[in-house]
Structures are given as C-alpha cells and as structure tokens.
Amino acid sequence: KISPIMDKESKFFHFMELLRKGVPSMKKKQFLIFWLTLLLFSVFHIPIAFAQPTIPIILDGQPLVCDTPPFIEQGVTLVPLRTVFEALDATVTWDANKQTVTGQKDATVITLKVNDTNGYVGERKVSLAAPAQNKQGRVFVPLRFIAESFGCDVQWDSASPQITIESRTLEVSPT
C-alpha cells in the first residue's frame, strides 16, 4: 500500500516493484494508465494553478508591452519599473545598494524603495497599498501610483479586465 507521505521517487520505486511482481494483464494496463496520469498531473498542474492571466495595459490608445508580465498583489497592479517609467517619458535611475528607484519627468520626481510601503513624490510622503518589489531580479512598481503621480488618468475595467492610462496634455490656447 502506498503511503500519502511517500515522496515521488519512493512512489515510483513502489510502482516498479508492483509491476515486477506481476499484476494481471488488464490490471497492469489500468495501473500503468493511472500512474502515468498521476505523474503528468503532478508535473503540470502546479504552473497552471499559479499562472495569472496577462493584464492588458493601454497607454494613450497603444498597448504597453512589458518584457516581464505585470501581476496583481493586494489589489495593486505591479509592472516592471523601467517599462512604465520609459513609456511615460520619464528618466529612471536605479540604486542597487539602496534598492531605490527614482523616476523624473519634468519637475516631478518619484522615489520608491523596494519593500517600503511609502513612496515619495518630490518631498511628499505617500502611503502605498503595495510596495515596490524585487522578483527574480526585476523590480516591479505600483502602476497607478506612478502614472497618477506623473499626471495621468488611470482606469481599471474589471469586465475586460484591462487598464487604460491617458496622459493629460494641457492645451494652450493662443492669446
């Protein structure tokens, strides 16, 4: 009998021992199909169970292409920092020693530190729903905070689901 606590290697050797001892022909086929199905399920179900759907982000009517997919944590969409800063025409600097990112567009300066629940817009401290995060060597930042700090309108469409960002451009009328 197979213990539920047995590891995969032990289960495999137990399976091989049962086959060696001899299982009636029909039972052997059923037994083999069962174990192969179990093996395939155990190998492939984990990545599928944890995969998140991609989150389309539209910036001024154009899709924002991220080299690493955004993800949602604590209800906040986090995106690769360089992708969002550069798409919003901001310069970005990364201080690896301090784990801090700084983005600047015109007179607006945003500073975030990895795993800190506070961000800064200029000297103003802003509480974040989710901090910037370092995942697998990539730093992800909260999209709404970055975009709105640079003066953009951000809309979440839960039906799609999709995020739409519109830059606010001020029209100057000739006088």
Side-chain angles (χ1 to χ4, degrees), residues 81 93-102 111-116 132-135 137-139:
L81 76 89
T93 55
W94 168 247
D95 185 333
N97 293 329
K98 294 181 181 179
Q99 294 285 289
T100 302
V101 60
T102 304
T111 306
L112 294 168
K113 184 174 176 127
V114 171
N115 297 325
D116 191 345
Q133 297 178 27
N134 193 334
K135 288 198 178 221
R138 297 296 307 269
V139 177

Side-chain angles (χ1 to χ4, degrees), residues 12-161:
F12 175 76
F13 286 117
H14 179 73
F15 166 69
M16 296 307 290
E17 182 66 20
L18 286 174
L19 284 179
R20 188 184 63 75
K21 286 181 181 177
V23 179
S25 177
M26 187 59 173
K27 293 261 187 200
K28 192 182 283 186
K29 288 179 184 174
Q30 290 172 338
F31 190 70
L32 185 61
I33 290 170
F34 169 77
W35 278 103
L36 288 175
T37 303
L38 184 63
L39 177 67
L40 286 172
F41 178 73
S42 69
V43 170
F44 294 111
H45 88 283
I46 293 172
I48 294 168
F50 293 110
Q52 286 189 348
T54 57
I55 305 161
I57 301 170
I58 308 301
L59 173 60
D60 293 330
Q62 299 298 315
L64 181 62
V65 179
C66 299
D67 58 351
T68 305
F71 63 94
I72 297 175
E73 188 166 296
Q74 300 172 15
V76 176
T77 303
L78 291 122
V79 296
L81 76 89
R82 192 161 299 280
T83 301
V84 68
F85 279 106
E86 289 178 353
L88 294 171
D89 294 324
T91 58
V92 61
T93 55
W94 168 247
D95 185 333
N97 293 329
K98 294 181 181 179
Q99 294 285 289
T100 302
V101 60
T102 304
Q104 182 171 355
K105 180 177 180 179
D106 301 323
T108 304
V109 178
I110 298 172
T111 306
L112 294 168
K113 184 174 176 127
V114 171
N115 297 325
D116 191 345
T117 55
N118 294 308
Y120 292 87
V121 180
E123 298 296 319
R124 184 174 50 97
K125 186 177 183 178
V126 179
S127 181
L128 304 172
Q133 297 178 27
N134 193 334
K135 288 198 178 221
Q136 299 175 345
R138 297 296 307 269
V139 177
F140 291 81
V141 294
L143 176 62
R144 181 179 293 275
F145 169 72
I146 301 299
E148 288 181 347
S149 295
F150 285 137
C152 299
D153 288 316
V154 180
Q155 298 297 318
W156 165 252
D157 181 1
S158 59
S160 310

